[in-house]
Amino acid sequence: MKRLLFLCSFLCLGLLRAEEKPLVVTLHPILAQWVQELTGDSVEVVNLVPTTANIHTFEPSPRDLTQLQGAVMLVAMGKHLEPYLDRLKENIPETVVVVEAGRMVPSIKTDPELAVFACCPQHALSDIDPHWWQDPMSARRAVRQLGRELEKVFPEQKSEIRRRTSAKMKELKELDRWAKEQLADIPSSDRKLVTTHNAFAYFCSQYDFQTIPVRGTNNDRDPSPEELADTMEIIKREKVKALFPESHTSEDFLRAVNEASGIPLAGALSADFFPDNDESYESIFRGNVQVIRRALDTSQ
Amino acid sequence: MRGAPFAEVGFVLLAALLLIWPLQRLTRAPSAARVDLVSSPGDTQGLTDAWLEITSTAVPDSIQIFQGDQRLWEGGGALYMDADLRVDLSETRKPLRIEFRWPEDVEQAYTEFILEPGAQPAQRQGFWSHEGESRIWVVDAEDLP
């Protein structure tokens, strides 16, 4: 009898382990939020890139690689945002499905003349701007792509994932409509986004703004005095109304431009969408739109 | 000693429960963790995965979309519909032909299509149509970076 009980208990313990939720690993906190929203509580989501990390310089640690061994899916932003992704793929089991959420988003090419204002050396070399999440309609496309890939990996949850994906896409479309309403009163002559990081091309394309980056955080090469002089000339010529620093980035340089030009500093924008506390994709995007509206909408 | 037979019965019941539960788990469909699928979105053999949104001013009986002889999609019965399809965007691609069937009481209706093919920019096209009419939509394809 005791042996029978021991056998049953052993079997149960083994199966309790098998009952563990399948693991999906993400490379951005926003992706983790989306995967969780699309799958509910049926999967465990682990995000490897902490909110305190620099998305452009992050490299996965050996501990991260260990964690990936047990994953069923790895979700990256794509568009070369993660320069280490190819190396990562080589070091994880072939059974791990790798999804680049931004893959189906139409790419915006980086202006080679603005390479010095790119966020980091890797992205200064790439000809595609990776910051597709700045536009909710691009995010909507990425969410659809993510949902379809999740359906393939979890076919028993297909209808539920499809339903959640459609709901999320509807939310993102509504967010785009809201942003258009919020920005409607900004005259086209004032639709100029002066930032420290060449990361707002998707936003500017969707909402008809001109992007004017004044300095990147390219550690390899700071802008030369001539380039800075050119930039000062551009922002004066374009009669820009405000300078937009970025959260999690030093605003020293913009402050210097502000002192030299007299153009006011606006609130900080989030470029990489790393959430503070309980922030969601939607709340970060709404925060950005409100900062821009407060600075540029003179009808208020 | 009087309690011993009850203890025996208890042990047997407990053992049976412990045995049934894991057997149930074992006979269920395999968990998602064991599913091994390869992700392959995008272009294959000249066909591109696309997503189509259709919004009409009246509820159609049916809308059929063809490319050449190939029927890509058919649907109806709602003001808003969406669909996953595969479109030929190769250089030799044929235009899309859309056939509309409207209820008798709908004299004319407007239908807007938004097509998102692969990583191509979205394409928007609207058509007015009567019952039984078809419309041609020439789909663009850009060189992607």
Side-chain angles (χ1 to χ4, degrees):
Chain A
M1 178 63 71
K2 279 182 182 168
R3 261 190 295 184
L4 182 63
L5 274 175
F6 176 76
L7 183 69
C8 291
S9 310
F10 187 75
L11 201 53
C12 289
L13 279 174
L15 284 160
L16 273 174
R17 259 192 77 76
E19 276 294 291
E20 281 175 4
K21 294 175 183 176
L23 175 66
V24 175
V25 175
T26 63
L27 297 175
H28 193 291
I30 292 300
L31 292 174
Q33 288 180 7
W34 285 344
V35 172
Q36 201 77 76
E37 280 183 65
L38 300 190
T39 58
D41 288 332
S42 60
V43 303
E44 184 189 351
V45 185
V46 171
N47 178 53
L48 291 189
V49 187
T51 51
T52 50
N54 181 334
I55 196 173
H56 303 284
T57 55
F58 172 81
E59 284 280 344
S61 67
R63 191 172 166 274
D64 294 333
L65 283 172
T66 310
Q67 199 149 26
L68 269 164
Q69 303 304 309
V72 292
M73 193 175 190
L74 169 67
V75 188
M77 285 293 207
K79 292 213 182 293
H80 312 302
L81 180 73
E82 300 92 353
Y84 54 84
L85 191 59
D86 286 340
R87 290 197 306 280
L88 197 60
K89 282 180 194 169
E90 288 169 10
N91 288 285
I92 58 175
E94 282 181 11
T95 51
V96 180
V97 175
V98 180
V99 173
E100 293 180 40
R103 186 172 166 188
M104 291 303 176
V105 173
S107 297
I108 293 184
K109 280 191 168 183
T110 308
D111 183 346
E113 287 190 7
L114 298 180
V116 70
F117 307 116
C119 44
C120 60
Q122 289 94 327
H123 296 136
L125 297 174
S126 168
D127 62 350
I128 294 174
D129 182 347
H131 302 82
W132 51 263
W133 55 90
Q134 289 285 346
D135 161 28
M137 292 305 276
S138 297
R140 179 176 181 252
R141 207 151 158 168
V143 161
R144 175 167 53 83
Q145 162 78 1
L146 183 57
R148 298 298 188 265
E149 295 298 326
L150 285 165
E151 286 175 15
K152 288 184 204 166
V153 176
F154 306 109
E156 71 281 12
Q157 297 175 49
K158 183 175 176 175
S159 58
E160 186 60 17
I161 292 172
R162 181 65 62 103
R163 187 186 65 74
R164 288 169 185 265
T165 305
S166 297
K168 187 72 201 168
M169 288 169 67
K170 209 174 275 184
E171 273 178 38
L172 291 166
K173 194 172 185 178
E174 178 57 28
L175 190 63
D176 171 67
R177 193 193 59 74
W178 172 85
K180 281 178 176 155
E181 265 179 25
Q182 292 290 308
L183 301 169
D185 290 333
I186 300 175
S188 57
S189 57
D190 293 343
R191 291 188 174 228
K192 288 156 190 165
L193 210 57
V194 183
T195 60
T196 51
H197 177 178
N198 188 16
F200 292 86
Y202 293 84
F203 179 93
C204 289
S205 169
Q206 179 67 9
Y207 301 109
D208 206 15
F209 276 72
Q210 181 188 346
T211 177
I212 306 175
V214 293
R215 182 185 187 267
T217 51
N218 185 335
N219 295 325
D220 269 6
R221 189 167 79 93
D222 279 343
S224 67
E226 290 77 19
E227 285 166 336
L228 287 179
D230 285 349
T231 302
M232 292 291 287
E233 196 183 308
I234 291 168
I235 60 176
K236 279 184 181 167
R237 187 181 66 221
E238 296 287 346
K239 295 180 180 151
V240 300
K241 291 284 194 300
L243 308 169
F244 293 90
E246 287 171 36
S247 49
H248 309 292
T249 306
S250 166
E251 60 180 53
D252 292 352
F253 184 80
L254 268 191
R255 194 166 290 286
V257 175
N258 151 255
E259 284 166 8
S261 65
I263 298 168
L265 275 180
L269 298 177
S270 175
D272 293 333
F273 274 50
F274 269 16
D276 289 325
N277 303 317
D278 293 331
E279 282 185 311
S280 63
Y281 172 85
E282 283 79 2
S283 63
I284 298 172
F285 178 79
R286 282 178 195 271
N288 276 357
V289 170
Q290 278 159 351
V291 163
I292 293 167
R293 185 185 177 198
R294 274 196 295 271
L296 300 179
D297 185 356
T298 49
S299 70
Q300 290 179 96
Chain B
M1 291 299 286
R2 279 175 63 197
F6 291 107
E8 288 275 320
V9 170
F11 271 130
V12 170
L13 281 174
L14 185 62
L17 276 174
L18 290 174
L19 200 60
I20 288 166
W21 179 70
L23 282 174
Q24 262 189 331
R25 314 303 303 170
L26 282 171
T27 50
R28 269 181 16 169
S31 80
R34 284 178 226 123
V35 175
D36 179 17
L37 287 173
V38 178
S39 167
S40 59
D43 302 357
T44 46
Q45 296 174 338
L47 295 176
T48 301
D49 287 332
W51 188 62
L52 182 69
E53 281 186 286
I54 303 165
T55 314
S56 298
T57 53
V59 178
D61 282 340
S62 86
I63 293 175
Q64 291 188 79
I65 301 175
F66 296 86
Q67 190 169 33
D69 297 332
Q70 186 77 33
R71 188 171 67 183
L72 303 182
W73 182 79
E74 180 179 9
L79 286 174
Y80 172 86
M81 293 174 278
D82 66 333
D84 290 303
L85 13 124
R86 289 168 76 75
V87 187
D88 178 7
L89 289 184
S90 67
E91 286 186 0
T92 56
R93 66 186 177 277
K94 296 190 167 112
L96 302 183
R97 190 179 83 254
I98 304 166
E99 293 187 356
F100 297 91
R101 307 292 315 196
W102 297 105
E104 277 179 14
D105 58 334
V106 176
E107 194 179 314
Q108 193 178 207
Y110 184 77
T111 309
E112 185 186 67
F113 297 86
I114 300 172
L115 183 72
E116 292 184 359
Q120 298 271 342
Q123 299 179 43
R124 187 186 293 258
Q125 183 71 57
F127 299 106
W128 285 99
S129 63
H130 299 279
E131 157 62 11
E133 278 189 319
S134 64
R135 293 282 182 266
I136 297 295
W137 181 8
V138 179
V139 180
D140 296 324
E142 287 186 9
D143 289 334
L144 297 177

